[in-house]
Amino acid sequence: QLRAHPVEKRTHMVSHQHGMTVTKTLREGEAEPQCWSFSYGRDELQGLMPEGASLLLLRVLACQWAVPPGLVFPAIDTEGHLCTSSY
């Protein structure tokens, strides 16, 4: 039987005049939280598709029963790193 092992993960995104800063916090059990920060410039974020907008886009595409070819957007993965999202 396994004991409870609480894990708390938070991602905080702040937009500023030069781009965006993403701070990822991980806390396991009673241990001290671990933090990582990533900064991205405005040029890197051009066309960024946040998670909520991605879900809405998926619903629209599903209703239309069509996905335009080569539909790719920059996104931020669960670790806070910049990646691409393809549909």
Side-chain angles (χ1 to χ4, degrees), residues 6-76:
V7 175
E8 180 182 348
K9 293 182 180 182
R10 292 179 186 238
T11 302
H12 188 218
M13 300 167 65
V14 178
S15 180
H16 46 78
Q17 68 182 20
H18 302 294
M20 181 181 291
T21 300
V22 178
T23 303
K24 182 83 177 164
T25 305
L26 172 66
R27 183 178 194 158
E28 295 186 68
E30 298 300 317
E32 287 294 315
Q34 298 175 332
C35 293
W36 299 269
S37 273
F38 309 96
S39 292
Y40 303 105
R42 287 231 181 257
D43 291 342
E44 295 175 281
L45 299 173
Q46 188 69 31
L48 179 70
M49 179 69 67
E51 186 177 4
S54 179
L55 291 173
L56 289 174
L57 178 61
L58 286 173
R59 287 184 178 199
V60 169
L61 294 174
C63 287
Q64 293 183 355
W65 289 79
V67 177
L71 193 58
V72 177
F73 295 99
I76 295 182

